[in-house]
């Protein structure tokens, strides 16, 4: 999804404001930012609320580094759906002589990264992906719930700070029966709405509109829309633009099948998840209440800085 | 540095113990693990102590995602020194037709990742690297101190769980005069030793022995050793093997020069840093005191679980 050109000046004004007010630091690449403690304090405040919401889930806590095996990635539909967003990790595997050549290409100003070899590792595109290989086999009665939080990567350079290339997602995942998966999603949509409303925002729940790639992608997008498999909770971040900050997804057997996960009754497991886009919620708060957090509504301040 | 083959069974026994006792979960790739809450609680306990140690530094807090621009990487000596540890990020940049070909290669069992293009982004090899481009220019009197914490990547698959490919490093960085840089290092070495000693370990400070690559690397290694530019704080994790868990580095003008950073007097800035290897400290604790944290020495428990 390209940036909306009509909002370009809004995007850059918000971004520059965030930098000037010491929330983010820029890099040479659009969508890659450093975070200051002022920004991280907001993230931590939001996360405290997310964890509170999830405290009744009895979810297994798992934290992953930003990298997972390519074999896991290959079992998902991601390459078909979002090839342009993927991040594959490549490294140098040659000998001394090849190293000398690599350094020569670099010092001649050539693209030395093109001479590297795939490491068999990918950046994680969605927090829950590395969990599914751990569930291969038959699940206990009632299924499993997981609490996953970590950095995700999506290669979509943008001047809009709400579209970062590297960002954190906190997910509660359910894997089990179709009914359980749907119930998990139905449980979390109102919780997400409540969290955003408590934070003084005006969220709406809409059918998701993911940026599936190309011709094949257009079909997948129609499937997703018509099946109402994914909803997003959106809030206004720019005049006339709503930004998705939370998503609730019903995966059907999209993960259960390739990862060979069965529910207790022996059927292919279905799954669902809620994903809180941590940076996006923080940025939506700043867009809604302004860059001076000292004058945010007291009720919001009490939740974020308890 | 290849694994010590004589310790292979020790490595795999420790790794399997960590998995059985629910600290780590394995993936298909050596050196990539998920972390459970039991493990993360130890990391948080250690980090509280690190932050306490750094509370007098008046350091600017910066948190980076695991990814940085390749242009930053290229200004360091990393490609010359450790090409085999690097992680370059590649993605799909083609059209619909190229996408169809990519999917065909994948479904034929070929290496589709080889068809991707460099994104201009790298995984961060050491927490402080993305900070230097922010300091270009002339520093204030007294230099700058930074507090940086984040995931680093080093492609060194190993069955030894203390050699993860993706791990967190918490650093305090100084950039300013040569005297200031040396003073920063001299201040932090005893602080690191105290932290490890307080945690019931028996650390030693040794001259670092980094795994520089190839022939050119052997020269760089000699320079590092003879110049005593880097020390490591090591603790015993396996019988007869000491593992570096903290490092204190004097960079000379290694970053000041390429990033065009000047101290207040107009000279090229020198820098130094202390880096706490968070996973390694946690694993050294588990190796030292055992996998049952309930029976760790009370003084250690009070520090980690206050």
């Amino acid at each position: 999804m390209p940036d909306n050109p009509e909002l370009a000046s809004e995007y850059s004004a918000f971004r520059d404001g965030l930098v000037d007010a010491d929330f983010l630091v820029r890099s040479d690449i659009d969508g890659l930012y450093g975070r200051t403690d002022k920004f991280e304090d907001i993230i931590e405040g939001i996360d405290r609320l997310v964890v509170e919401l999830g405290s009744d889930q009895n979810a297994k806590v798992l934290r992953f580094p930003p990298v997972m095996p390519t074999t896991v990635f290959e079992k998902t539909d991601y390459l078909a759906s979002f090839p342009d967003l993927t991040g594959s990790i490549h490294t140098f595997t040659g000998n001394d002589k090849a190293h000398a050549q690599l350094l020569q290409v670099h010092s001649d100003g050539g693209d030395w990264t093109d001479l590297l070899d795939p490491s068999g590792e990918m950046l994680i595109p969605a927090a829950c992906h590395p969990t599914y290989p751990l569930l291969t086999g038959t699940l206990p009665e009632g299924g499993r719930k997981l609490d996953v939080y970590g950095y995700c990567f999506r290669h979509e350079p943008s001047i809009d700070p709400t579209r970062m290339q590297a960002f954190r997602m906190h997910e509660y995942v359910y894997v089990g029966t179709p009914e359980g998966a749907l119930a998990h999603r139905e449980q979390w949509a109102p919780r997400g709405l409540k969290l955003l409303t408590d934070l003084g925002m005006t969220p709406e729940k809409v059918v998701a509109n993911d940026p599936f790639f190309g011709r094949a992608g257009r079909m997948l997008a129609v499937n997703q829309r018509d099946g109402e498999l994914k909803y997003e909770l959106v809030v206004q971040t720019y005049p006339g633009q709503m930004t998705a900050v939370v998503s609730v997804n019903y995966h059907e057997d999209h993960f259960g099948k390739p990862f060979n996960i069965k529910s207790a009754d022996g059927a292919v497991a279905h799954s669902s998840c809620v994903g809180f886009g941590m940076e996006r919620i923080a940025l939506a708060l700043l867009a809604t209440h302004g860059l001076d957090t000292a004058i945010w509504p007291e009720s919001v301040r009490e939740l974020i800085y308890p």
Side-chain angles (χ1 to χ4, degrees), chain A:
Chain A
M1 241 182 328
D3 285 340
N4 179 348
E6 284 174 30
L7 288 176
S9 62
E10 301 276 349
Y11 297 145
S12 56
F14 188 41
R15 180 196 61 194
D16 295 347
L18 290 161
V19 171
D20 290 345
D22 196 32
F23 290 103
L24 298 178
V25 298
R26 289 186 65 178
S27 76
D28 280 349
I29 289 188
D30 285 335
L32 289 187
Y33 299 89
R35 285 83 164 141
T36 67
D37 46 351
K38 269 178 78 173
F39 189 77
E40 292 297 290
D41 287 349
I42 301 175
I43 294 282
E44 275 168 36
I46 297 165
D47 198 54
R48 236 178 271 117
L49 302 173
V50 170
V51 168
E52 244 174 71
L53 279 179
S55 60
D56 66 348
Q57 299 285 294
N58 196 23
K60 172 73 181 164
V61 172
L62 286 173
R63 300 289 177 259
F64 291 89
V67 172
M68 70 178 189
T70 302
T71 50
V72 176
F73 179 88
E74 286 178 320
K75 286 189 175 171
T76 71
D77 285 347
Y78 209 86
L79 189 64
S81 309
F82 312 110
D84 49 329
L85 304 184
T86 59
S88 168
I89 299 166
H90 293 222
T91 195
F92 175 73
T93 62
N95 59 14
D96 242 16
K97 197 177 150 198
H99 185 214
Q101 287 162 347
L102 185 76
L103 292 174
Q104 189 61 49
V105 169
H106 174 34
S107 71
D108 291 347
D111 191 350
W112 57 274
T113 58
D114 225 10
L115 302 175
L116 303 177
D117 296 306
S119 72
E121 295 156 318
M122 306 279 298
L123 287 167
I124 291 175
C128 61
H129 285 199
T131 66
Y132 300 108
L134 305 171
L135 301 174
T136 296
T138 302
L139 300 170
E141 198 71 46
R144 290 287 301 274
K145 290 206 179 185
L146 303 167
D147 161 349
V148 204
Y149 185 22
Y151 259 103
C152 302
F153 176 83
R154 295 181 187 173
H155 181 254
E156 48 172 353
S158 166
I159 57 170
D160 176 2
T162 73
R163 297 179 74 194
M164 291 189 180
Q165 294 197 51
F167 58 92
R168 280 160 288 184
M169 194 188 292
H170 198 148
E171 289 195 40
Y172 285 88
V173 184
Y174 167 89
V175 192
T177 61
E179 301 72 37
L182 281 164
H184 181 71
R185 187 174 71 160
E186 296 321 309
Q187 181 184 49
W188 275 99
R191 288 180 180 202
L193 288 168
K194 181 178 183 309
L195 177 118
L196 300 171
T197 308
D198 288 350
L199 290 174
M201 299 188 275
T202 311
E204 291 172 30
K205 181 181 153 190
V206 301
V207 174
N209 185 20
D210 277 344
F212 287 96
F213 183 85
R215 205 162 31 185
R218 279 191 288 278
M219 262 167 46
L220 293 164
V222 170
N223 281 351
Q224 186 190 62
R225 262 198 308 277
D226 290 358
E228 298 202 359
L229 298 180
K230 177 172 178 179
Y231 294 99
E232 289 173 333
L233 310 186
V234 299
V235 296
Q236 180 166 312
T237 41
Y238 302 102
Q241 182 182 305
M242 306 297 278
T243 299
V245 297
V246 178
S247 71
V248 285
N249 307 280
Y250 173 38
H251 313 134
E252 300 181 305
D253 62 2
H254 182 83
F255 295 109
K257 207 167 173 177
F259 290 100
N260 200 14
I261 311 170
K262 300 215 177 333
S263 52
D265 59 7
V268 174
H270 282 223
S271 58
S272 63
C273 69
V274 59
F276 291 87
M278 302 304 293
E279 276 80 0
R280 284 203 176 171
I281 299 174
L283 293 170
L285 271 171
L286 288 160
T288 303
H289 302 304
L291 299 180
D292 184 356
T293 59
I295 57 169
W296 279 7
E298 203 46 47
S299 63
V300 176
R301 283 190 54 83
E302 277 167 15
L303 288 172
I304 296 295
Y305 309 107

